[in-house]
Amino acid sequence: MSSGLVRIREPSGAEGLPPVLFNFDDNLLKALANLATEELSETGVNLLMAPYQRRRAVNAAGLLERRSRGIRDAATIDRNNMKILRAVLLQDNRNFLKVWSKTSKSTIMYENGKIYFENYQNCYSCVHSEPQLLYKLPKRSKLEKFEDALLCLSPLDKTLASPSDHKPSLLVLTADNWLYRLSAETGEELQRVYLSSNHKFRYLSWDVSQEMFYVKSVQNKETSLERQAGITQNTVMHLAIFHVFPLRVVGILEINKKVFGNGVTDVILSQGVLVVSYSNKSVKLYSFEHITQRYLTEKLTLGQQCSLLGGKTVGDVPFGIPVNIQITDCPPVLFEVSCSDKSIQIGGYPWHYIYTPPTKRHRGCHHICSLKDSTMATNGIQNMNCCSLESDEIFFHPDDSGRIIHVGPNIINVLKILGELDSGSASQIVKDFSMETRQNNTSTPQFTVTSSGRTVKRRFNQLDDDPDQETFRMLEYEDELDLLAAVVTNGEEGEGRAHIQLHDNQSGQLLRTVELDEPWDETYRHELFFNKDTIVHIEQKNTNFCCHVYKLNAVRK
């Protein structure tokens, strides 16, 4: 994988992340060293693996000794490090212990070993045995506050012009339309670009595969006065698109009703495709490469003059970046589908897409179809028929295996697509494995008798995600350890508790369970992140937020 493009605001997997080399804290290194000196027969864990250019297997001590002497092949050592860490993590004498908690009155964000407080102003690193403050930025005015942020990790296989381009950076959008590139380690300003004085930009998002990100403006909505005067607002929003490594501008394009039609509700850029959603629940896909090739009027370079600005400098106040992608007619539609929640997912091998038809009778019913000809796959309708407050989720597995994960309140199904690329027959959806909770089998009676002897019929049955029984709440994938972490809650004893089940990603086998110390209140929002030897739980408590950090430690007897 060439680069690390990481979404901050919304939890995501490790898609696009480069391997992290030797990023272990002191306690973990000590644990590895202790493990290396133990008798492998006593541990019950097989740590034998084939090292570099040799057929004779060596143990963990040999791998660590070779690394200390500087004999290192980056990919091989990183892979072996993860094998060792996984073996340590799954030992009976190791456990995750809470080492740190911190509350805040504002939302807390976590990404790639860093915790952000006070709207990205304060940053803590989780690399050490306890989180440590990396930097604290000066307070900013309301006009200059951070609206959104992205964490950017440079590729390992490229030589970049500036040394600062190789270091992790935080891309930040401010309320006054400035785009900053800050050092992710110190908060130092590395670069700044002024976007525009004509459009209000608010959101940042990645197009990971293209090593691009885009800045989206707020939507233009017709006011009541404009409607009364018969004035039509054709411009829906603007997108400013940038390449990274190094930072350079592609341009700004306008999403216009005259081009894309009425009813546009949202636009995103993903996998080199412009995805446009409409109020009639349809989604249309357009090639962004085709758009730039046909409608780009002038190439722009940050810090240099351009004719669209009358000779002014691109990225300077007050001119910013001009609209240099001017779409005059509707581009060819690559793909179109009507779906519930305007949500469509594309992935798998051969290529398939997942959607829910936009009708009430298909609610909770997910269709899996071939992208080539929209043919429904055999067993392609997946419906858990669950009765729950939270709807089930279905998505393509982030491990790039082409599998599909379907998460319900009491079961998680991992599905495979069986089919050939050039085959004329429909592909088939089969179950790879399942993970299930322990459900309370005591059924609630339909009728109850009051003290006066009156028979009363219950209006509702028990929900599948009832707090009183074990329920899957979320699922995380740790790509470097190849583990699935499922959060399970249970409130049988009156207080909501939660634990994390670690499953093998290839077989679904339950390998170990990690208990969380703090109660789990389902009425509030929760996020959980699993990154090698660290577990981070962010919860909301009324109007406050709290972050809990667990670290892998040896259990003291």
Side-chain angles (χ1 to χ4, degrees):
M1 291 176 283
S2 62
S3 60
L5 312 180
V6 185
R7 187 73 179 93
I8 278 273
R9 251 184 326 116
E10 302 168 355
S12 65
E15 181 183 8
L17 290 176
V20 179
L21 304 182
F22 325 127
N23 191 17
F24 296 150
D25 60 42
D26 294 339
N27 289 339
L28 187 53
L29 282 174
K30 290 178 182 177
L32 293 176
N34 291 336
L35 177 67
T37 60
E38 295 174 1
E39 292 293 335
L40 295 180
S41 59
E42 294 180 3
T43 65
V45 179
N46 181 15
L47 290 179
L48 299 181
M49 54 197 75
Y52 337 83
Q53 308 299 322
R54 292 190 299 174
R55 294 185 179 180
R56 184 172 61 86
V58 299
N59 59 21
L63 293 173
L64 294 173
E65 189 269 338
R66 289 177 65 83
R67 190 177 76 178
S68 68
R69 290 191 286 120
I71 303 175
R72 53 178 69 182
D73 170 84
T76 304
I77 290 182
D78 185 66
R79 184 167 56 251
N80 289 336
N81 281 342
M82 293 304 106
K83 287 182 180 179
I84 296 173
L85 176 57
R86 175 174 162 137
V88 172
L89 186 149
L90 297 177
Q91 281 187 300
D92 292 337
N93 64 337
R94 310 285 170 175
N95 204 353
F96 283 90
L97 303 178
K98 186 192 288 190
V99 297
W100 191 79
S101 291
K102 183 175 174 61
T103 59
S104 173
K105 292 186 176 181
S106 59
T107 306
I108 304 171
M109 291 80 167
Y110 171 87
E111 196 62 69
N112 197 47
K114 293 180 174 61
I115 308 172
Y116 296 89
F117 291 85
E118 308 302 326
N119 196 28
Y120 310 105
Q121 299 292 303
N122 302 341
C123 177
Y124 288 78
S125 171
C126 291
V127 172
H128 306 283
S129 56
E130 286 188 20
Q132 296 185 4
L133 181 66
L134 272 183
Y135 60 82
K136 187 174 183 179
L137 299 178
K139 289 187 177 181
R140 307 177 71 90
S141 66
K142 188 175 181 180
L143 183 64
E144 299 174 315
K145 74 170 185 174
F146 293 161
E147 294 280 9
D148 205 354
L150 298 173
L151 187 63
C152 180
L153 306 178
S154 64
L156 301 177
D157 59 345
K158 292 182 180 179
T159 301
L160 304 176
S162 172
S164 68
D165 291 335
H166 285 281
K167 297 180 179 179
S169 59
L170 189 68
L171 300 170
V172 178
L173 174 65
T174 64
D176 54 353
N177 273 0
W178 278 95
L179 178 68
Y180 288 90
R181 190 167 69 90
L182 308 177
S183 167
E185 303 299 328
T186 64
E188 174 192 1
E189 181 184 318
L190 303 176
Q191 196 172 357
R192 68 162 73 180
V193 177
Y194 185 68
L195 297 176
S196 175
S197 56
N198 300 321
H199 322 301
K200 173 58 182 172
F201 288 95
R202 180 69 58 83
Y203 312 102
L204 289 172
S205 293
W206 283 118
D207 184 358
V208 174
S209 64
Q210 307 300 309
E211 293 190 350
M212 294 193 305
F213 71 94
Y214 61 97
V215 195
K216 185 162 60 175
S217 73
V218 296
Q219 291 192 30
N220 293 323
K221 297 182 179 180
E222 294 178 357
T223 64
S224 58
L225 292 176
E226 287 177 334
R227 285 192 296 269
Q228 291 173 9
I231 301 174
T232 303
Q233 181 64 262
N234 287 316
T235 302
V236 180
M237 66 179 69
H238 288 82
L239 297 182
I241 300 98
F242 294 84
H243 276 291
V244 288
F245 319 130
L247 180 66
R248 61 189 188 277
V249 63
V250 176
I252 291 184
L253 65 85
E254 176 185 284
I255 304 300
N256 195 295
K257 292 180 182 178
K258 290 183 178 180
V259 172
F260 293 98
N262 294 320
V264 175
T265 58
D266 198 11
V267 178
I268 64 172
L269 190 62
S270 177
Q271 305 293 320
V273 172
L274 192 70
V275 184
V276 183
S277 303
Y278 293 84
S279 56
N280 63 359
K281 298 186 177 180
S282 67
V283 176
K284 295 181 181 180
L285 277 58
Y286 303 88
S287 168
F288 183 69
E289 181 181 9
H290 171 82
I291 291 174
T292 54
Q293 287 178 350
R294 180 168 180 178
Y295 303 107
L296 183 69
T297 58
E298 182 180 351
K299 289 187 177 182
L300 305 176
T301 302
L302 295 174
Q304 294 188 11
Q305 298 176 346
C306 78
S307 60
L308 292 175
L309 293 176
K312 304 300 182 181
T313 303
V314 177
D316 278 1
V317 176
F319 311 104
I321 301 171
V323 177
N324 66 326
I325 305 175
Q326 299 177 353
I327 307 176
T328 55
D329 56 279
C330 187
V333 179
L334 298 178
F335 181 78
E336 180 179 2
V337 67
S338 294
C339 51
S340 177
D341 299 326
K342 295 163 286 189
S343 174
I344 178 175
Q345 300 181 63
I346 299 176
Y349 182 84
W351 288 101
H352 282 66
Y353 64 95
I354 305 172
Y355 77 104
T356 299
T359 57
K360 287 186 178 180
R361 66 186 181 91
H362 286 108
R363 186 176 181 180
C365 184
H366 308 286
H367 290 202
I368 305 172
C369 302
S370 169
L371 186 64
K372 180 181 179 181
D373 53 14
S374 296
T375 302
M376 172 79 71
T378 302
N379 197 32
I381 299 179
Q382 295 293 318
N383 190 348
M384 286 192 169
N385 295 313
C386 52
C387 179
S388 58
L389 293 177
E390 297 292 334
S391 59
D392 56 319
E393 292 184 90
I394 190 168
F395 49 90
F396 286 101
H397 200 309
D399 68 354
D400 294 330
S401 64
R403 295 180 295 175
I404 297 171
I405 298 180
H406 193 181
V407 182
N410 47 47
I411 188 170
I412 297 176
N413 292 326
V414 178
L415 312 171
K416 293 192 298 185
I417 301 175
L418 301 181
E420 298 296 331
L421 185 62
D422 299 323
S423 174
S425 58
S427 54
Q428 185 178 6
I429 307 300
V430 298
K431 186 184 295 185
D432 192 9
F433 60 82
S434 294
M435 301 177 286
E436 299 184 34
T437 60
R438 296 174 299 175
Q439 291 292 299
N440 185 357
N441 294 323
T442 58
S443 59
T444 305
Q446 285 290 101
F447 297 90
T448 58
V449 180
T450 65
S451 58
S452 62
R454 186 165 58 95
T455 301
V456 179
K457 183 178 181 179
R458 294 176 59 90
R459 296 180 61 188
F460 304 101
N461 292 325
Q462 188 180 46
L463 296 174
D464 292 329
D465 59 351
D466 191 286
D468 289 339
Q469 59 183 356
E470 281 198 352
T471 305
F472 286 121
R473 296 299 176 183
M474 59 186 69
L475 183 71
E476 278 281 300
Y477 172 57
E478 216 304 332
D479 63 330
E480 293 175 294
L481 301 180
D482 202 31
L483 292 174
L484 290 170
V487 179
V488 181
T489 60
N490 192 343
E492 276 186 336
E493 299 178 0
E495 184 180 47
R497 309 299 302 181
H499 65 267
I500 303 169
Q501 295 181 177
L502 300 182
H503 294 259
D504 179 73
N505 181 48
Q506 303 304 322
S507 66
Q509 179 187 358
L510 176 61
L511 301 176
R512 77 168 306 164
T513 299
V514 179
E515 299 288 340
L516 295 183
D517 293 344
E518 62 277 1
W520 187 288
D521 189 344
E522 264 304 307
T523 59
Y524 294 109
R525 175 171 167 260
H526 294 263
E527 290 181 291
L528 188 129
F529 306 91
F530 176 35
N531 186 9
K532 296 192 288 291
D533 67 323
T534 306
I535 293 174
V536 177
H537 174 210
I538 299 175
E539 62 173 338
Q540 183 180 357
K541 288 185 174 181
N542 297 317
T543 58
N544 293 327
F545 298 85
C546 189
C547 178
H548 309 280
V549 177
Y550 293 76
K551 282 285 187 177
L552 184 65
N553 281 278
V555 178
R556 298 183 182 277
K557 296 182 180 180

Short mmCIF file of all heavy atoms in Angstrom, two decimals, residues 101-139:
data_model
loop_
_atom_site.label_atom_id
_atom_site.label_comp_id
_atom_site.label_asym_id
_atom_site.label_seq_id
_atom_site.Cartn_x
_atom_site.Cartn_y
_atom_site.Cartn_z
N SER A 101 -7.65 7.83 31.66
CA SER A 101 -8.98 8.34 31.32
C SER A 101 -8.92 9.86 31.36
O SER A 101 -8.20 10.45 32.18
CB SER A 101 -10.06 7.85 32.30
OG SER A 101 -10.27 6.46 32.15
N LYS A 102 -9.69 10.49 30.47
CA LYS A 102 -9.73 11.95 30.44
C LYS A 102 -11.09 12.39 29.91
O LYS A 102 -11.59 11.83 28.93
CB LYS A 102 -8.61 12.52 29.56
CG LYS A 102 -8.53 14.05 29.54
CD LYS A 102 -7.33 14.53 28.75
CE LYS A 102 -7.32 16.05 28.61
NZ LYS A 102 -7.26 16.73 29.94
N THR A 103 -11.68 13.40 30.56
CA THR A 103 -12.99 13.91 30.16
C THR A 103 -12.83 15.24 29.43
O THR A 103 -11.80 15.92 29.54
CB THR A 103 -13.90 14.10 31.38
OG1 THR A 103 -13.27 15.03 32.28
CG2 THR A 103 -14.15 12.79 32.07
N SER A 104 -13.87 15.59 28.69
CA SER A 104 -13.87 16.85 27.93
C SER A 104 -15.32 17.29 27.73
O SER A 104 -16.23 16.46 27.68
CB SER A 104 -13.18 16.66 26.59
OG SER A 104 -13.32 17.82 25.77
N LYS A 105 -15.51 18.60 27.59
CA LYS A 105 -16.84 19.12 27.30
C LYS A 105 -17.11 19.20 25.80
O LYS A 105 -18.23 19.52 25.39
CB LYS A 105 -17.01 20.51 27.93
CG LYS A 105 -17.03 20.48 29.45
CD LYS A 105 -17.34 21.84 30.04
CE LYS A 105 -17.44 21.76 31.56
NZ LYS A 105 -17.78 23.08 32.16
N SER A 106 -16.11 18.90 24.99
CA SER A 106 -16.28 18.89 23.53
C SER A 106 -15.96 17.49 23.01
O SER A 106 -15.36 16.66 23.70
CB SER A 106 -15.38 19.93 22.87
OG SER A 106 -14.02 19.67 23.17
N THR A 107 -16.34 17.24 21.77
CA THR A 107 -16.15 15.93 21.15
C THR A 107 -14.67 15.53 21.12
O THR A 107 -13.80 16.37 20.85
CB THR A 107 -16.70 15.93 19.72
OG1 THR A 107 -18.06 16.36 19.75
CG2 THR A 107 -16.65 14.55 19.11
N ILE A 108 -14.40 14.25 21.39
CA ILE A 108 -13.03 13.72 21.38
C ILE A 108 -12.85 12.89 20.12
O ILE A 108 -13.74 12.12 19.74
CB ILE A 108 -12.76 12.86 22.63
CG1 ILE A 108 -13.03 13.67 23.91
CG2 ILE A 108 -11.34 12.33 22.63
CD1 ILE A 108 -13.01 12.83 25.17
N MET A 109 -11.73 13.05 19.42
CA MET A 109 -11.44 12.28 18.22
C MET A 109 -10.20 11.43 18.42
O MET A 109 -9.28 11.81 19.16
CB MET A 109 -11.20 13.20 17.01
CG MET A 109 -12.42 13.94 16.52
SD MET A 109 -12.77 15.38 17.52
CE MET A 109 -13.96 16.20 16.48
N TYR A 110 -10.17 10.28 17.77
CA TYR A 110 -8.99 9.40 17.79
C TYR A 110 -8.67 8.96 16.38
O TYR A 110 -9.57 8.67 15.58
CB TYR A 110 -9.25 8.16 18.65
CG TYR A 110 -8.15 7.13 18.54
CD1 TYR A 110 -7.03 7.19 19.35
CD2 TYR A 110 -8.22 6.11 17.59
CE1 TYR A 110 -6.00 6.26 19.23
CE2 TYR A 110 -7.20 5.17 17.46
CZ TYR A 110 -6.10 5.26 18.29
OH TYR A 110 -5.09 4.35 18.15
N GLU A 111 -7.38 8.91 16.06
CA GLU A 111 -6.96 8.35 14.78
C GLU A 111 -5.49 8.01 14.82
O GLU A 111 -4.65 8.82 15.23
CB GLU A 111 -7.22 9.35 13.65
CG GLU A 111 -7.16 8.74 12.27
CD GLU A 111 -8.23 7.66 12.08
OE1 GLU A 111 -9.41 7.99 12.04
OE2 GLU A 111 -7.83 6.48 11.99
N ASN A 112 -5.17 6.76 14.44
CA ASN A 112 -3.80 6.32 14.24
C ASN A 112 -2.89 6.65 15.42
O ASN A 112 -1.81 7.20 15.26
CB ASN A 112 -3.23 6.95 12.96
CG ASN A 112 -2.00 6.22 12.48
OD1 ASN A 112 -1.97 5.00 12.42
ND2 ASN A 112 -0.96 6.97 12.14
N GLY A 113 -3.32 6.29 16.61
CA GLY A 113 -2.48 6.46 17.79
C GLY A 113 -2.47 7.84 18.39
O GLY A 113 -1.66 8.13 19.27
N LYS A 114 -3.37 8.72 17.95
CA LYS A 114 -3.44 10.10 18.48
C LYS A 114 -4.86 10.41 18.91
O LYS A 114 -5.82 10.06 18.23
CB LYS A 114 -2.96 11.11 17.45
CG LYS A 114 -1.46 11.00 17.12
CD LYS A 114 -1.05 12.03 16.10
CE LYS A 114 0.47 12.01 15.88
NZ LYS A 114 0.94 10.71 15.38
N ILE A 115 -4.98 11.09 20.07
CA ILE A 115 -6.27 11.50 20.60
C ILE A 115 -6.33 13.03 20.56
O ILE A 115 -5.39 13.71 21.01
CB ILE A 115 -6.48 11.01 22.04
CG1 ILE A 115 -6.22 9.49 22.13
CG2 ILE A 115 -7.88 11.33 22.52
CD1 ILE A 115 -6.22 8.97 23.55
N TYR A 116 -7.41 13.56 20.02
CA TYR A 116 -7.56 15.01 19.85
C TYR A 116 -8.68 15.52 20.76
O TYR A 116 -9.80 15.01 20.74
CB TYR A 116 -7.87 15.35 18.40
CG TYR A 116 -6.75 15.00 17.44
CD1 TYR A 116 -6.70 13.73 16.85
CD2 TYR A 116 -5.74 15.90 17.15
CE1 TYR A 116 -5.66 13.40 15.98
CE2 TYR A 116 -4.70 15.58 16.29
CZ TYR A 116 -4.67 14.32 15.71
OH TYR A 116 -3.65 13.99 14.85
N PHE A 117 -8.33 16.55 21.55
CA PHE A 117 -9.28 17.21 22.44
C PHE A 117 -9.44 18.68 22.01
O PHE A 117 -8.61 19.22 21.27
CB PHE A 117 -8.77 17.18 23.90
CG PHE A 117 -8.77 15.80 24.51
CD1 PHE A 117 -7.70 14.94 24.32
CD2 PHE A 117 -9.84 15.36 25.29
CE1 PHE A 117 -7.68 13.68 24.89
CE2 PHE A 117 -9.83 14.10 25.86
CZ PHE A 117 -8.76 13.26 25.66
N GLU A 118 -10.51 19.29 22.52
CA GLU A 118 -10.75 20.73 22.33
C GLU A 118 -10.68 21.11 20.85
O GLU A 118 -9.97 22.04 20.48
CB GLU A 118 -9.76 21.55 23.15
CG GLU A 118 -9.68 21.18 24.62
CD GLU A 118 -11.02 21.29 25.33
OE1 GLU A 118 -11.81 22.17 24.98
OE2 GLU A 118 -11.27 20.45 26.23
N ASN A 119 -11.44 20.37 20.04
CA ASN A 119 -11.53 20.69 18.61
C ASN A 119 -10.15 20.71 17.94
O ASN A 119 -9.79 21.68 17.25
CB ASN A 119 -12.25 22.03 18.40
CG ASN A 119 -12.71 22.21 16.98
OD1 ASN A 119 -12.99 21.23 16.28
ND2 ASN A 119 -12.79 23.44 16.53
N TYR A 120 -9.39 19.65 18.15
CA TYR A 120 -8.07 19.43 17.56
C TYR A 120 -6.97 20.35 18.14
O TYR A 120 -5.85 20.35 17.63
CB TYR A 120 -8.09 19.64 16.02
CG TYR A 120 -9.18 18.89 15.32
CD1 TYR A 120 -10.30 19.56 14.84
CD2 TYR A 120 -9.10 17.52 15.11
CE1 TYR A 120 -11.31 18.88 14.18
CE2 TYR A 120 -10.11 16.83 14.46
CZ TYR A 120 -11.21 17.53 14.00
OH TYR A 120 -12.21 16.86 13.35
N GLN A 121 -7.27 21.08 19.19
CA GLN A 121 -6.28 22.00 19.75
C GLN A 121 -5.23 21.26 20.57
O GLN A 121 -4.06 21.62 20.57
CB GLN A 121 -6.96 23.05 20.64
CG GLN A 121 -7.96 23.93 19.92
CD GLN A 121 -7.30 24.86 18.93
OE1 GLN A 121 -6.43 25.65 19.26
NE2 GLN A 121 -7.70 24.75 17.68
N ASN A 122 -5.64 20.22 21.27
CA ASN A 122 -4.74 19.45 22.12
C ASN A 122 -4.61 18.03 21.57
O ASN A 122 -5.62 17.38 21.31
CB ASN A 122 -5.24 19.39 23.56
CG ASN A 122 -5.43 20.77 24.17
OD1 ASN A 122 -4.88 21.75 23.68
ND2 ASN A 122 -6.21 20.85 25.23
N CYS A 123 -3.38 17.56 21.44
CA CYS A 123 -3.14 16.24 20.86
C CYS A 123 -2.32 15.39 21.81
O CYS A 123 -1.26 15.82 22.30
CB CYS A 123 -2.41 16.38 19.52
SG CYS A 123 -1.97 14.81 18.75
N TYR A 124 -2.79 14.16 22.07
CA TYR A 124 -2.09 13.20 22.93
C TYR A 124 -1.66 12.00 22.09
O TYR A 124 -2.40 11.54 21.22
CB TYR A 124 -2.99 12.73 24.07
CG TYR A 124 -3.24 13.76 25.14
CD1 TYR A 124 -4.15 14.79 24.95
CD2 TYR A 124 -2.55 13.71 26.35
CE1 TYR A 124 -4.38 15.74 25.92
CE2 TYR A 124 -2.77 14.66 27.34
CZ TYR A 124 -3.68 15.67 27.12
OH TYR A 124 -3.90 16.61 28.10
N SER A 125 -0.47 11.49 22.38
CA SER A 125 0.05 10.31 21.69
C SER A 125 -0.18 9.08 22.55
O SER A 125 0.06 9.09 23.76
CB SER A 125 1.54 10.47 21.40
OG SER A 125 2.08 9.26 20.93
N CYS A 126 -0.61 7.98 21.89
CA CYS A 126 -0.85 6.71 22.60
C CYS A 126 0.30 5.73 22.42
O CYS A 126 0.16 4.55 22.75
CB CYS A 126 -2.14 6.07 22.09
SG CYS A 126 -3.63 6.95 22.55
N VAL A 127 1.43 6.17 21.93
CA VAL A 127 2.55 5.27 21.68
C VAL A 127 3.15 4.75 22.98
O VAL A 127 3.56 3.59 23.08
CB VAL A 127 3.63 5.98 20.82
CG1 VAL A 127 4.88 5.12 20.71
CG2 VAL A 127 3.07 6.29 19.44
N HIS A 128 3.19 5.59 24.00
CA HIS A 128 3.83 5.22 25.27
C HIS A 128 2.89 4.39 26.14
O HIS A 128 1.74 4.13 25.77
CB HIS A 128 4.28 6.48 26.00
CG HIS A 128 5.15 7.38 25.16
ND1 HIS A 128 6.47 7.12 24.91
CD2 HIS A 128 4.86 8.51 24.46
CE1 HIS A 128 6.97 8.05 24.12
NE2 HIS A 128 6.01 8.91 23.84
N SER A 129 3.39 3.99 27.30
CA SER A 129 2.59 3.16 28.20
C SER A 129 1.37 3.90 28.70
O SER A 129 0.36 3.28 29.06
CB SER A 129 3.45 2.70 29.39
OG SER A 129 4.01 3.82 30.06
N GLU A 130 1.42 5.23 28.74
CA GLU A 130 0.27 6.08 29.01
C GLU A 130 0.27 7.21 27.99
O GLU A 130 1.34 7.65 27.56
CB GLU A 130 0.32 6.69 30.42
CG GLU A 130 0.02 5.73 31.54
CD GLU A 130 -0.09 6.43 32.87
OE1 GLU A 130 -0.32 7.67 32.88
OE2 GLU A 130 0.08 5.77 33.91
N PRO A 131 -0.91 7.68 27.56
CA PRO A 131 -0.95 8.79 26.60
C PRO A 131 -0.22 10.01 27.15
O PRO A 131 -0.32 10.35 28.33
CB PRO A 131 -2.45 9.07 26.45
CG PRO A 131 -3.09 7.75 26.75
CD PRO A 131 -2.26 7.13 27.82
N GLN A 132 0.54 10.65 26.27
CA GLN A 132 1.30 11.84 26.64
C GLN A 132 0.96 12.98 25.71
O GLN A 132 0.71 12.77 24.52
CB GLN A 132 2.80 11.55 26.60
CG GLN A 132 3.26 10.51 27.61
CD GLN A 132 4.78 10.34 27.63
OE1 GLN A 132 5.49 11.06 26.93
NE2 GLN A 132 5.26 9.40 28.41
N LEU A 133 0.94 14.20 26.26
CA LEU A 133 0.61 15.38 25.47
C LEU A 133 1.69 15.64 24.44
O LEU A 133 2.87 15.79 24.78
CB LEU A 133 0.46 16.60 26.39
CG LEU A 133 0.08 17.92 25.71
CD1 LEU A 133 -1.33 17.84 25.11
CD2 LEU A 133 0.16 19.07 26.71
N LEU A 134 1.31 15.67 23.17
CA LEU A 134 2.25 15.98 22.09
C LEU A 134 2.37 17.48 21.90
O LEU A 134 3.46 18.03 21.80
CB LEU A 134 1.79 15.34 20.78
CG LEU A 134 2.23 13.91 20.48
CD1 LEU A 134 1.74 13.49 19.10
CD2 LEU A 134 3.75 13.79 20.54
N TYR A 135 1.23 18.15 21.80
CA TYR A 135 1.26 19.60 21.63
C TYR A 135 -0.08 20.19 22.06
O TYR A 135 -1.10 19.49 22.15
CB TYR A 135 1.57 20.02 20.20
CG TYR A 135 0.60 19.53 19.16
CD1 TYR A 135 -0.60 20.20 18.91
CD2 TYR A 135 0.87 18.39 18.40
CE1 TYR A 135 -1.48 19.76 17.95
CE2 TYR A 135 -0.01 17.94 17.43
CZ TYR A 135 -1.19 18.64 17.21
OH TYR A 135 -2.07 18.20 16.27
N LYS A 136 -0.06 21.48 22.33
CA LYS A 136 -1.25 22.24 22.70
C LYS A 136 -1.21 23.54 21.92
O LYS A 136 -0.32 24.37 22.13
CB LYS A 136 -1.28 22.49 24.21
CG LYS A 136 -2.57 23.13 24.70
CD LYS A 136 -2.58 23.21 26.23
CE LYS A 136 -3.90 23.79 26.72
NZ LYS A 136 -3.94 23.85 28.21
N LEU A 137 -2.16 23.73 21.01
CA LEU A 137 -2.17 24.91 20.16
C LEU A 137 -2.80 26.09 20.89
O LEU A 137 -3.64 25.91 21.79
CB LEU A 137 -2.96 24.64 18.88
CG LEU A 137 -2.42 23.52 17.98
CD1 LEU A 137 -3.34 23.34 16.77
CD2 LEU A 137 -1.00 23.82 17.53
N PRO A 138 -2.39 27.30 20.55
CA PRO A 138 -3.02 28.49 21.15
C PRO A 138 -4.51 28.54 20.83
O PRO A 138 -4.96 28.03 19.80
CB PRO A 138 -2.27 29.66 20.48
CG PRO A 138 -1.02 29.07 19.94
CD PRO A 138 -1.33 27.65 19.59
N LYS A 139 -5.28 29.15 21.73
CA LYS A 139 -6.72 29.28 21.50
C LYS A 139 -6.97 30.14 20.27
O LYS A 139 -6.25 31.10 20.00
CB LYS A 139 -7.40 29.90 22.73
CG LYS A 139 -7.45 28.95 23.93
CD LYS A 139 -8.28 29.55 25.06
CE LYS A 139 -8.39 28.58 26.22
NZ LYS A 139 -9.20 29.14 27.34
#
